[in-house]
Amino acid sequence: MRARTDFRALTALAALAALLGAGCVTTATRLEREQKTKQARSHLDLGVDHLANGRTALGLRDLLRAEQLDPDNPQTHYALGVAFQRKGKLDQAVGHLRRALEIHPDHHEVRLHLSALYSHLGRYDEAIIEAELLFEDPTFLGPWRALTQRGWAHYKLGHVADARRDLQLAYEYANGQYWKTLLNLGILEHEDGHRLEAIDLFQGVLTLEPGPSAEAEANYRLAEIYISLGKRDRAMNHLMAAVAQTPGGRWGKKSEEYLKRLR
């Protein structure tokens, strides 16, 4: 009888040891996972800082390391999408943005960025789909941005009436305070021969001070209109402003070439 009791005690002790051992393994696994997540976050923060300061190659290195450590973080994939786009690897950029949305479908900034990238790639139908999803989402706080994106894609597809509808509605939503809407509406008005309306819209872009590249484009387009109106001096002033704003950029170079033809 004593032997049987001892056997039962030993069995119970063995079961307890196994349970404690499993608990230790589980705790160790959890701690290891937490450590990886923490390291991934550090690499993500470093990568984003590098991107913000124009160090794309360094940023990409840290972001890829963050992805290895924590492959299901949508912010990492978003940042990778931005980094690969800057490097000109657009297919990879699209892939990471789509992955971010698979993980977090309600990430509005990722969807807006993806819509813009689709437009850049000439995939306007896909750009419209993403922009529509944003506009129809009542939790998206910037519907004018989605409308502007959708309107531009319609414009590039030759759907001028749809483009004008979206851009005018975006203008109303933003009360004329979103520079991309003003710029795109200005392009439409200029092409329709409404030069004075286009001037007001491009001047509105400059008033909002969106940054050198956008301001240089607005100045270039204003110069084109003033040339057509016979106001050469005003046109040259806008072209010189564009060159000063982005001397090595697209609109700065176009403005410099235009100035050479006018002199």
Side-chain angles (χ1 to χ4, degrees):
M1 192 69 181
R2 175 64 181 274
R4 184 176 298 178
T5 301
D6 290 345
F7 176 76
R8 286 177 179 173
L10 289 172
T11 302
L13 285 172
L16 179 60
L19 183 63
L20 290 172
C24 290
V25 171
T26 302
T27 301
T29 302
R30 189 184 75 250
L31 290 173
E32 182 181 349
R33 186 166 57 246
E34 289 175 353
Q35 183 64 23
K36 279 189 174 183
T37 301
K38 185 177 180 181
Q39 290 176 352
R41 183 72 224 186
S42 295
H43 282 288
L44 172 59
D45 290 343
L46 278 172
V48 169
D49 183 70
H50 285 314
L51 290 183
N53 289 283
R55 301 184 294 268
T56 304
L58 290 174
L60 193 55
R61 184 182 65 179
D62 274 302
L63 292 170
L64 288 171
R65 180 59 180 150
E67 183 192 18
Q68 287 178 341
L69 292 164
D70 185 6
D72 294 326
N73 187 329
Q75 287 298 117
T76 299
H77 288 287
Y78 182 18
L80 279 167
V82 173
F84 278 118
Q85 184 176 354
R86 289 188 186 177
K87 296 292 284 184
K89 298 181 178 181
L90 302 184
D91 288 340
Q92 288 171 271
V94 168
H96 280 288
L97 294 175
R98 290 234 60 93
R99 179 58 184 145
L101 288 173
E102 288 172 6
I103 300 167
H104 184 9
D106 295 329
H107 199 313
H108 298 146
E109 293 303 320
V110 173
R111 196 172 297 281
L112 189 68
H113 195 111
L114 180 61
S115 179
L117 182 53
Y118 277 148
S119 280
H120 179 72
L121 291 168
R123 295 162 63 174
Y124 300 114
D125 288 322
E126 291 168 281
I128 288 171
I129 290 171
E130 300 299 335
E132 284 178 350
L133 287 171
L134 275 178
F135 179 63
E136 291 168 2
D137 184 344
T139 67
F140 180 48
L141 299 179
W144 54 89
R145 294 193 290 161
L147 282 168
T148 299
Q149 187 58 49
R150 188 173 72 178
W152 183 250
H154 275 306
Y155 166 75
K156 297 299 286 186
L157 286 171
H159 308 158
V160 178
D162 290 332
R164 182 176 290 280
R165 175 205 65 206
D166 283 347
L167 292 171
Q168 287 178 337
L169 186 55
Y171 184 95
E172 293 172 15
Y173 267 112
N175 196 27
Q177 298 300 302
Y178 186 48
W179 70 266
K180 287 186 179 180
T181 303
L182 301 183
L183 184 65
N184 294 345
L185 260 180
I187 292 169
L188 258 66
E189 296 292 7
H190 186 200
E191 290 191 358
D192 283 349
H194 305 146
R195 293 179 293 189
L196 296 181
E197 290 85 348
I199 286 174
D200 286 342
L201 289 162
F202 292 139
Q203 288 288 4
V205 174
L206 297 177
T207 299
L208 293 174
E209 300 181 346
S213 181
E215 291 170 41
E217 181 177 358
N219 273 309
Y220 180 86
R221 294 187 183 279
L222 280 165
E224 286 185 314
I225 297 173
Y226 281 125
I227 287 293
S228 70
L229 292 171
K231 298 182 178 182
R232 186 173 180 275
D233 289 343
R234 295 195 68 172
M236 291 185 70
N237 287 337
H238 282 290
L239 291 171
M240 288 187 286
V243 172
Q245 285 156 342
T246 57
R250 175 190 175 191
W251 296 102
K253 290 178 179 178
K254 285 172 68 74
S255 297
E256 195 167 13
E257 292 169 4
Y258 207 154
L259 280 168
K260 288 178 181 177
R261 295 198 301 268
L262 291 175
R263 286 169 177 160

